PDB file of all heavy atoms in Angstrom:
ATOM      1  N   SER G  13      17.008 -13.135 -11.053  1.00 98.00           N
ATOM      2  CA  SER G  13      15.907 -13.768 -11.789  1.00 98.00           C
ATOM      3  C   SER G  13      15.084 -14.577 -10.796  1.00 98.00           C
ATOM      4  O   SER G  13      15.520 -14.798  -9.650  1.00 98.00           O
ATOM      5  CB  SER G  13      16.472 -14.702 -12.862  1.00 98.00           C
ATOM      6  OG  SER G  13      17.174 -15.762 -12.236  1.00 98.00           O
ATOM      7  N   ASP G  58      13.079  -8.547 -13.642  1.00 95.00           N
ATOM      8  CA  ASP G  58      12.209  -8.005 -14.697  1.00 95.00           C
ATOM      9  C   ASP G  58      10.895  -8.768 -14.826  1.00 95.00           C
ATOM     10  O   ASP G  58       9.849  -8.180 -15.096  1.00 95.00           O
ATOM     11  CB  ASP G  58      12.937  -8.032 -16.052  1.00 95.00           C
ATOM     12  CG  ASP G  58      14.017  -6.961 -16.130  1.00 95.00           C
ATOM     13  OD1 ASP G  58      13.966  -6.022 -15.294  1.00 95.00           O
ATOM     14  OD2 ASP G  58      14.901  -7.060 -16.990  1.00 95.00           O
ATOM     15  N   ALA G 102      -3.286   2.030   3.005  1.00 93.00           N
ATOM     16  CA  ALA G 102      -2.331   2.794   3.813  1.00 93.00           C
ATOM     17  C   ALA G 102      -2.290   4.269   3.379  1.00 93.00           C
ATOM     18  O   ALA G 102      -3.316   4.846   3.054  1.00 93.00           O
ATOM     19  CB  ALA G 102      -0.957   2.148   3.744  1.00 93.00           C
ATOM     20  N   GLY G 110       5.081  -0.067  -1.311  1.00 98.00           N
ATOM     21  CA  GLY G 110       4.395  -1.354  -1.153  1.00 98.00           C
ATOM     22  C   GLY G 110       3.977  -1.918  -2.507  1.00 98.00           C
ATOM     23  O   GLY G 110       3.670  -1.171  -3.431  1.00 98.00           O
ATOM     24  N   ARG G 133     -12.254 -12.643  -9.060  1.00 98.00           N
ATOM     25  CA  ARG G 133     -11.974 -14.048  -9.415  1.00 98.00           C
ATOM     26  C   ARG G 133     -10.639 -14.136 -10.160  1.00 98.00           C
ATOM     27  O   ARG G 133     -10.500 -14.824 -11.187  1.00 98.00           O
ATOM     28  CB  ARG G 133     -13.108 -14.642 -10.249  1.00 98.00           C
ATOM     29  CG  ARG G 133     -14.441 -14.600  -9.488  1.00 98.00           C
ATOM     30  CD  ARG G 133     -15.609 -15.035 -10.345  1.00 98.00           C
ATOM     31  NE  ARG G 133     -16.861 -14.515  -9.812  1.00 98.00           N
ATOM     32  CZ  ARG G 133     -18.033 -14.666 -10.396  1.00 98.00           C
ATOM     33  NH1 ARG G 133     -18.130 -15.318 -11.533  1.00 98.00           N
ATOM     34  NH2 ARG G 133     -19.108 -14.164  -9.851  1.00 98.00           N
ATOM     35  N   GLU G 137      -0.265 -16.368 -10.254  1.00 98.00           N
ATOM     36  CA  GLU G 137       0.762 -17.113 -10.972  1.00 98.00           C
ATOM     37  C   GLU G 137       1.934 -17.311 -10.012  1.00 98.00           C
ATOM     38  O   GLU G 137       2.593 -16.352  -9.628  1.00 98.00           O
ATOM     39  CB  GLU G 137       1.190 -16.323 -12.213  1.00 98.00           C
ATOM     40  CG  GLU G 137       2.116 -17.052 -13.135  1.00 98.00           C
ATOM     41  CD  GLU G 137       2.511 -16.159 -14.316  1.00 98.00           C
ATOM     42  OE1 GLU G 137       1.679 -15.954 -15.215  1.00 98.00           O
ATOM     43  OE2 GLU G 137       3.647 -15.653 -14.302  1.00 98.00           O
ATOM     44  N   GLY G 140       7.682 -21.972  -8.537  1.00 97.00           N
ATOM     45  CA  GLY G 140       8.412 -22.799  -7.581  1.00 97.00           C
ATOM     46  C   GLY G 140       9.415 -23.652  -8.325  1.00 97.00           C
ATOM     47  O   GLY G 140       9.583 -23.516  -9.547  1.00 97.00           O
ATOM     48  N   ASP G 142       9.187 -26.648  -9.143  1.00 94.00           N
ATOM     49  CA  ASP G 142       8.561 -27.552 -10.109  1.00 94.00           C
ATOM     50  C   ASP G 142       7.927 -26.808 -11.275  1.00 94.00           C
ATOM     51  O   ASP G 142       7.203 -27.412 -12.065  1.00 94.00           O
ATOM     52  CB  ASP G 142       7.499 -28.410  -9.406  1.00 94.00           C
ATOM     53  CG  ASP G 142       8.113 -29.244  -8.311  1.00 94.00           C
ATOM     54  OD1 ASP G 142       9.289 -29.628  -8.469  1.00 94.00           O
ATOM     55  OD2 ASP G 142       7.448 -29.494  -7.286  1.00 94.00           O
ATOM     56  N   ASP G 150      -9.958 -17.911  -4.941  1.00 97.00           N
ATOM     57  CA  ASP G 150     -10.807 -18.625  -3.978  1.00 97.00           C
ATOM     58  C   ASP G 150     -10.031 -19.718  -3.235  1.00 97.00           C
ATOM     59  O   ASP G 150     -10.395 -20.092  -2.116  1.00 97.00           O
ATOM     60  CB  ASP G 150     -12.012 -19.259  -4.691  1.00 97.00           C
ATOM     61  CG  ASP G 150     -13.153 -18.264  -4.879  1.00 97.00           C
ATOM     62  OD1 ASP G 150     -13.352 -17.413  -3.985  1.00 97.00           O
ATOM     63  OD2 ASP G 150     -13.836 -18.337  -5.913  1.00 97.00           O
ATOM     64  N   GLY G 191      -6.724   5.660   5.555  1.00 79.00           N
ATOM     65  CA  GLY G 191      -5.407   5.043   5.668  1.00 79.00           C
ATOM     66  C   GLY G 191      -5.297   4.084   6.832  1.00 79.00           C
ATOM     67  O   GLY G 191      -4.397   3.251   6.857  1.00 79.00           O
ATOM     68  N   HIS G 269     -23.113  -5.491  11.977  1.00 97.00           N
ATOM     69  CA  HIS G 269     -23.958  -4.339  11.642  1.00 97.00           C
ATOM     70  C   HIS G 269     -23.261  -3.467  10.587  1.00 97.00           C
ATOM     71  O   HIS G 269     -23.869  -3.064   9.591  1.00 97.00           O
ATOM     72  CB  HIS G 269     -24.259  -3.526  12.907  1.00 97.00           C
ATOM     73  CG  HIS G 269     -24.912  -2.206  12.628  1.00 97.00           C
ATOM     74  ND1 HIS G 269     -26.232  -2.092  12.251  1.00 97.00           N
ATOM     75  CD2 HIS G 269     -24.416  -0.946  12.631  1.00 97.00           C
ATOM     76  CE1 HIS G 269     -26.523  -0.826  12.041  1.00 97.00           C
ATOM     77  NE2 HIS G 269     -25.436  -0.099  12.268  1.00 97.00           N
ATOM     78  N   THR G 285     -24.499   3.106 -10.591  1.00 78.00           N
ATOM     79  CA  THR G 285     -23.339   3.024 -11.473  1.00 78.00           C
ATOM     80  C   THR G 285     -23.662   2.224 -12.731  1.00 78.00           C
ATOM     81  O   THR G 285     -23.162   2.514 -13.814  1.00 78.00           O
ATOM     82  CB  THR G 285     -22.159   2.339 -10.738  1.00 78.00           C
ATOM     83  OG1 THR G 285     -21.957   3.012  -9.504  1.00 78.00           O
ATOM     84  CG2 THR G 285     -20.875   2.413 -11.553  1.00 78.00           C
TER      85      THR G 285
END
Side-chain angles (χ1 to χ4, degrees):
Chain G
S13 64
D58 287 343
R133 301 173 202 176
E137 187 182 285
D142 300 328
D150 276 325
H269 170 74
T285 308

